[in-house]
Amino acid sequence: MHRTSTRVLLSCAAIGVVGGVVAGASGYLAGAFAAFGPMLYGLTVGTHFLPSVVALALLKRPGMAVLAGLIAGLVGAAFAPWWLWRYVGAGLLVGLLIEIPFLLTRYRRWDAWLFYAAAGFAGLVIAIAVFIGLGAEHYAWWAWAIALPLWVLSPVLFTWIGRVIAARLAKAGVAQAA
C-alpha cells in the first residue's frame, strides 16, 4: 500500500488553509455581487479552484486536490459559518472535478491542458447548476450571456494563477522530497 508522507499532508493542509482564507474573503465579495450585480457573481467562483490546483500541480499525488479543497472549505467557513456546507461542498466538488482527468490518466500525466480542461469543465458544470438553481426565467437573456461565460472563464483564470503559484513554490523547493 502506498503511504503519503506527513510532509505531503502538511503541505496540502497549508495550501488548503491559505486557499480557505482567500475563499472566505471572496465569499463576501460574492455576496456583494449577488446583491448588486448578479451577472458578475461568477467572477468569484475561480477562487475555490486555487487550493485544489496548487496542491495537485505542486504535489502531483492522488487526492491532493480533494483534500486541499476540503480544508479550504472548512477554513473558508470560519469566515461565514452560516455557509459551512456551501464552502465545504464547493471545495469538495471543485477538488473532485479537478482530479477527474488525472484519475482517468491514472495520475501518470501532468500536462497543463488537463488542468485547464478540468477547470473549464468544472466551471461549465457549476454554471449549469447555478443557471438552473437561480431560475433562468428570472433574468434577462443578456444577463445570462454575461454571467455564464464568467462562470467558465473564472475557473480557467484561477487555474492559471494556481499553476503559476505551484511552479514558484516548486522552484523555491517546497515540493522537494514531498
Side-chain angles (χ1 to χ4, degrees), residues 124-147:
L124 185 62
V125 167
I126 295 168
I128 291 169
V130 168
F131 185 77
I132 292 168
L134 291 180
E137 68 277 2
H138 299 295
Y139 298 94
W141 68 270
W142 58 267
W144 286 115
I146 294 169

Side-chain angles (χ1 to χ4, degrees), residues 149-164:
L150 292 178
W151 281 92
V152 176
L153 295 176
S154 177
V156 173
L157 172 65
F158 279 91
T159 294
W160 173 75
I161 294 169
R163 292 192 73 248
V164 168

